[in-house]
Amino acid sequence: MIKSEYFFWLIGAVFLVMAAQMAGDRTNPRRFGSASFWGLIGACFFYSTGVVDKSLPAEPLGAAVLVLIVLGGFGFTGKGTPHTPPREERAASAARFGNKLFLPALTIPVVAMLCATLLKKVHIGGEPVLEPGSETILGLGVGAIAAMVVGMTVLRERRVSVPLHAGRNMLESMGWALVLPQLLAVLGSIFQTAGVGDQVGRITEAILPDGQRFIAVLVYCCGMVLFTIVMGNAFAAFPVMTAAVGWPVLIQQMHGSIPAVLAIGMLCGFCGTLVTPMAANFNLVPAALLELDDQYGPIKAQLPTAAALLVCNIAVLALFAF
Amino acid sequence: MIVLLGVLVVILGFATRRNPLLVVGAAGIVTGLLGKMSPQEVLAAFGNSFASSRSVTVFVITLPVIGLLERYGLQEQARNLIGRLGALTTGRFLALYLLIRQLTASVGLTSIGGPAQSVRPLIAPMAEAAAESRAGGPLPKRVREKIRSHASGADTIGMFFGEDCFIAIGSILLITGFVNSTYHQHLEPLSLALWAIPSAICAFLIHGARLLHLDRVLERELAVVAAENELAAHTARRPEDLK
């Protein structure tokens, strides 16, 4: 059986190799900071396996995460000069290879799709080939490796260092934003353990007038948006707001439909995700990847849609869920 | 009551534009300690959640191959291809991508798109090329930025409001997991997925309409730029007239 942990080790190894490349890149003014940051992430990917299966203590990993925060947060990372060929050269290459260039790029989704649908059902010796529950993630990994093989063959590129350098340049341009989503997951779980949801619930119950259904819906939906904006992640906001308002008020007190309240609550959170820089993986990382000057460009493009959708969600919940 | 100070830390950090890594780290430590967790428990919480949330970072694996293809002219070829399809404007192309992204996400195929896998190498250059073939030349920076931002927006919105119609996606499993364990329910993922359909339809109608409208916005901006250029060329050619 191919386990998701093998795939995480592969990514850890990629981080470590790229960190070694960074350490030797003299065009990067902060090359040792960058190398330590990405190298440490790589090591954490390996160590995490032990934390997940409980064979290693979680505290050292937590300490390493704090070091990552310091390295990324205080600007110890930088980027080198990417060595991409000039535009004319790339245009010439595009003319030479033509649509064959799309083949490797399309290999990723096609293989990912096949893994998630067909390979998921394949068993060898009574064991599934892919670890159950991780098929889509593993599909992405298998797809990326297959695409690499296809790409190197089609382009007749023999040096493995070429794609690694190119990928490292993209990693450097994303910088610390890459690990923010993982840190937000940390924050969400701490908020939950510390009882932030119960506190917000006590406050809302004190403020909310009895039996005002529409106002309660408004508080739940807008609360999901606000908490998501603050925490950058609807998954983190969901337990807080549901424990605070969704369950006690909308479901128990006002007898709302359970799936409607919860599903729409989560979707309201997604409206918040669209407009917050804290949701780095959806908003800041694309801006960095697309080399935008305005890192809030994607948020500005999404804001009107998010606002309109919030109104739709509130309307659906208020009109059809009770 | 005092644990809410953690939320305050995030808001203050956000308002004063501190580095988000530091804000999140500080808020986590403050909330944990105020919530009567020991320093060791806080460290363990950091470690445990980092380990169990590694899957959000796995797209890194696609960067080398995308980087390789870009060196060999992937973006240029994407432009060539779309430049030949005259009827496909930027807005129509992005609306089509929004639809495809929503449909594939709604059957669980969320990792086939994304900023690294599809937007940077294919969708953004194609959307730009569609505008370039209309403008008949390279785009001004401001217009280019707007198109790229919208390419990213179409991808994100398509995925968000498609994936919840699928029963085995993270957010649906999170809802059922949380409710079933906290409130002892037997909630079926399918019932949640059904309630996500109205929002998915609204999302397509609203954002699709905005993307189609984008064509008119771009046309206006390009006309302004063209006029500016003409004026500049005019003044450069005949400076004596303006004395």
Side-chain angles (χ1 to χ4, degrees), chain A residues 11 32 44 55 68 89 111 115 122 156 162 166 196 228 258 268 298:
Chain A
I11 294 172
F32 293 116
C44 287
S55 62
L68 281 178
E89 207 173 298
V111 172
C115 286
V122 176
R156 294 195 199 85
V162 172
V196 172
T228 304
I258 297 175
C268 290

Side-chain angles (χ1 to χ4, degrees), chain A residues 2-23:
Chain A
I2 303 174
K3 291 188 180 152
S4 56
E5 287 301 331
Y6 303 161
F7 178 38
F8 290 135
W9 296 344
L10 176 69
I11 294 172
V14 169
F15 277 130
L16 287 176
V17 171
M18 288 182 176
Q21 288 179 331
M22 285 176 200

Side-chain angles (χ1 to χ4, degrees), chain A residues 296-316:
Chain A
Y296 298 129
I299 293 180
K300 286 175 191 160
Q302 289 157 188
L303 183 76
T305 303
L309 275 177
L310 177 62
V311 174
C312 294
N313 283 327
I314 292 172
V316 172

Side-chain angles (χ1 to χ4, degrees), chain A residues 2-3 6-11 14 104 107-109 111-112 115 137-153 160 163, chain B residues 58-66 68:
Chain A
I2 303 174
K3 291 188 180 152
Y6 303 161
F7 178 38
F8 290 135
W9 296 344
L10 176 69
I11 294 172
V14 169
T107 304
I108 302 175
V111 172
C115 286
I137 291 177
L138 284 170
L140 182 68
V142 177
I145 296 165
M148 185 73 103
V149 174
V150 173
M152 307 269 298
T153 316
V160 187
Chain B
V58 298
F59 72 93
V60 165
I61 200 71
T62 61
L63 295 183
V65 68
I66 298 298
L68 173 74

